[in-house]
């Protein structure tokens, strides 16, 4: 996801930067690196790349969330001319929804990692669960037992449940024993 500004027609205006946020770019880059080099590098080097990628992508996710959390009103104002009523509803809703930034990059990275090391089925399961299945189930179940505002929490909850599932898989799977993924979750 890239949020871009339209370049200014004035060549002296240096504010026409190409992008504001890269949410998926970093995990995608690292997964491509792992997949291209995996047959040629040792498991320990691949594990090291994954470990540092998880740390970096976690920092990126938390940083993006922190920026949006601190400037939620301004973010809303970018898209609509919000009055006090819209801001009073929009600020908590947007903060809740965008808390998914903290986990989303990790899930994307791990799904891509599975794909890059030849575990395509697990990668597909992770992608389907986090991007579709859990969202549908939670969208039908949660509003029937909780207030409608819970809809804003569906994506963060889907991401959290997916991460817990990945951690469970990593701890109990003999196919990824002694890898950085397993060690990251065991140390957590």
């Amino acid at each position: 996801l890239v949020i871009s500004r339209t370049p200014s027609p004035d060549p002296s205006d240096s504010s026409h930067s190409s992008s504001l946020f890269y949410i998926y770019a970093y995990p995608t880059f690292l997964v491509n690196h792992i997949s291209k080099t995996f047959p040629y590098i040792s498991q320990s080097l691949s594990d090291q790349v994954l470990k540092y990628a998880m740390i970096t992508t976690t920092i990126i996710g938390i940083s993006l969330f922190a920026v949006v959390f601190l400037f939620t009103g301004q973010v809303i104002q970018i898209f609509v001319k919000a009055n006090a009523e819209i801001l009073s509803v929009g600020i908590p809703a947007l903060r809740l929804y965008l808390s998914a930034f903290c986990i989303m990059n990790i899930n994307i990275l791990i799904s891509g990692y599975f794909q890059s090391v030849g575990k395509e089925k697990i990668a597909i399961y992770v992608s389907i669960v986090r991007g579709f299945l859990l969202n549908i189930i939670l969208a039908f179940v949660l509003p029937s037992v909780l207030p409608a505002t819970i809809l804003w929490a569906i994506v963060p909850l889907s991401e959290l449940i997916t991460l817990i599932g990945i951690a469970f898989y990593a701890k109990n799977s003999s196919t990824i024993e002694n890898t950085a993924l397993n060690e990251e979750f065991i140390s957590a």
Side-chain angles (χ1 to χ4, degrees), residues 102-120:
C102 299
I103 302 171
M104 185 182 303
N105 275 352
I106 297 170
N107 289 340
I108 293 167
L109 175 69
I110 293 171
S111 176
Y113 175 78
F114 283 139
Q115 181 181 358
S116 70
V117 297
K119 296 181 184 358
E120 297 87 3

Side-chain angles (χ1 to χ4, degrees), residues 119 122 169 172-177 179:
K119 296 181 184 358
I122 301 299
Y169 175 78
N172 296 306
S173 174
S174 61
T175 61
I176 56 173
E177 217 170 82
T179 66

